[in-house]
Amino acid sequence: MSWQTINVDCFQIERMNGGVASLLDSIDRMPIANRNVEIDSCPLRIERMSKFVDGQKTLYEGDFVKVRMDNLPVIASRRAGVRGMGLNASQGIGEETAFLCSPADKLLLLQRNRHGASYARVMRYLNEFSGEADSIILSIMLKDTALARLERATTLQSVEVSIAPLLSSHDATYGESVNRVLETMNDLRGRRLTFKITTGRSRSLSLFKAKVKTMIKDLLRVRSDCESCVKTVKLGGRDDDGTMMIDFIKDRIRFSDKVDSGDERHLSYELRKEFLRSIWNRSDLQNALMS
């Protein structure tokens, strides 16, 4: 018996011109060879996809495969010796990432695989097939308490952030506010920037809520793609009950559990698919969708 951990992140599809169901259907009709999109020098595609009905909702589930073509590992044993993998020029190493999508809820559940199809790559992939740049925007799902407290805030008095540089291939992905912060850090040759923006001692002044919300969403997108890059996203303010503090990293909706992979050293698609279905059926996720 071998236990392995599966992590799942939850995203809301904020914008989808034409509908995500029709987009997934069109990709599913394509031959697999035509589904590849080159992202960061690696082909990415939906390898398999199917639909099932739960109640009155049609759900899509499947597997992304990112193909690593360069800088491949070697085969090694515990005792001694290494050798190449013997792949031909058209072959690489496949990194799998399972997903489940409910178009009716504008929900995407995505297995976390730091070597595979990250949130940012999935967004770029779907936009490639949508026929319109940036027609699809994914945002991190937050717990009801965090969202409710943010909306309930009468004044926003502080934002605290800690961020490190991203890979150069990613730094145009996450929004104007994040790009400005990264540019400042790069100009000074820094490796991490920690800052706190406040309104000072005044209780009557407030930070601009719409801009703050956009910056927080951008930062959470960065963290979803590079967890070590964003260590802190906190918001301080006041509501009718007094002082409030929201930690957006702790308050995001995510799931993690160990599964029994038996004697296999590789998590099968069936195992990962069933895990995502179990997350879909969880009452805390369904309650979040109904709120």
Side-chain angles (χ1 to χ4, degrees):
M1 182 180 295
S2 177
W3 294 91
Q4 299 190 49
T5 300
I6 301 182
N7 300 296
V8 174
D9 292 313
C10 306
F11 299 92
Q12 289 286 170
I13 305 170
E14 289 190 349
R15 188 168 74 227
M16 176 60 227
N17 298 336
V20 67
S22 60
L23 175 62
L24 293 175
D25 284 335
S26 68
I27 294 173
D28 193 35
R29 288 192 294 268
M30 296 178 184
I32 290 181
N34 293 351
R35 299 179 191 175
N36 287 307
V37 174
E38 197 86 3
I39 298 177
D40 299 331
S41 301
C42 294
L44 178 68
R45 66 174 176 266
I46 293 179
E47 178 75 12
R48 62 191 116 198
M49 183 163 49
S50 58
K51 294 188 284 188
F52 69 97
V53 176
D54 182 37
Q56 296 184 344
K57 295 178 180 178
T58 298
L59 305 179
Y60 292 72
E61 59 189 1
D63 219 12
F64 284 96
V65 171
K66 173 187 150 187
V67 186
R68 291 170 53 197
M69 302 299 294
D70 300 310
N71 299 316
L72 301 181
V74 295
I75 297 175
S77 70
R78 287 182 179 273
R79 296 181 179 179
V82 296
R83 60 184 175 85
M85 305 190 74
L87 304 178
N88 64 43
S90 66
Q91 295 175 317
I93 298 296
E95 300 285 358
E96 299 169 311
T97 305
F99 71 91
L100 186 150
C101 179
S102 172
D105 298 297
K106 297 183 178 179
L107 169 72
L108 176 68
L109 301 181
L110 190 66
Q111 174 198 356
R112 196 182 320 138
N113 178 357
R114 65 189 180 92
H115 298 297
S118 67
Y119 132 86
R121 289 189 177 99
V122 167
M123 197 161 62
R124 289 167 65 183
Y125 180 87
L126 295 176
N127 274 311
E128 182 71 24
F129 285 107
S130 73
E132 183 179 347
D134 298 326
S135 69
I136 299 170
I137 301 293
L138 302 177
S139 64
I140 301 287
M141 282 186 67
L142 296 170
K143 295 177 183 176
D144 293 343
T145 51
L147 293 171
R149 292 170 71 197
L150 176 58
E151 294 303 325
R152 197 169 61 237
T154 53
T155 58
L156 302 181
Q157 296 174 310
S158 67
V159 176
E160 184 177 352
V161 173
S162 176
I163 185 171
L166 285 74
L167 297 175
S168 59
S169 60
H170 291 163
D171 52 15
T173 305
Y174 302 103
E176 182 181 353
S177 57
V178 174
N179 287 340
R180 285 202 300 265
V181 169
L182 294 173
E183 286 173 7
T184 300
M185 182 165 37
N186 291 334
D187 286 345
L188 299 176
R189 295 184 180 178
R191 301 308 304 156
R192 179 165 290 279
L193 178 61
T194 300
F195 63 90
K196 188 173 184 178
I197 303 172
T198 76
T199 58
R201 296 183 178 181
S202 173
R203 293 191 174 186
S204 60
L205 295 177
S206 176
L207 301 175
F208 188 17
K209 182 181 280 191
K211 293 283 188 179
V212 168
K213 289 171 67 175
T214 297
M215 183 178 72
I216 288 171
K217 287 182 177 181
D218 289 343
L219 288 165
L220 292 176
R221 290 181 183 126
V222 175
R223 182 175 167 85
S224 179
D225 201 30
C226 177
E227 194 160 302
S228 63
C229 292
V230 178
K231 295 291 188 183
T232 305
V233 183
K234 294 181 179 178
L235 178 66
R238 297 182 65 82
D239 58 19
D240 292 337
D241 296 327
T243 302
M244 53 173 279
M245 176 65 70
I246 308 174
D247 186 328
F248 286 97
I249 290 177
K250 290 183 178 179
D251 284 340
R252 64 180 295 181
I253 299 177
R254 63 198 312 180
F255 300 94
S256 180
D257 207 350
K258 291 184 179 296
V259 297
D260 179 12
S261 58
D263 296 328
E264 294 292 328
R265 298 163 68 182
H266 167 260
L267 285 170
S268 70
Y269 171 62
E270 289 299 320
L271 193 60
R272 292 178 290 116
K273 181 179 73 173
E274 289 305 315
F275 185 79
L276 284 173
R277 285 199 184 192
S278 73
I279 298 302
W280 164 256
N281 288 316
R282 286 184 57 141
S283 59
D284 45 355
L285 178 61
Q286 292 299 319
N287 290 338
L289 293 174
M290 291 187 292
S291 63

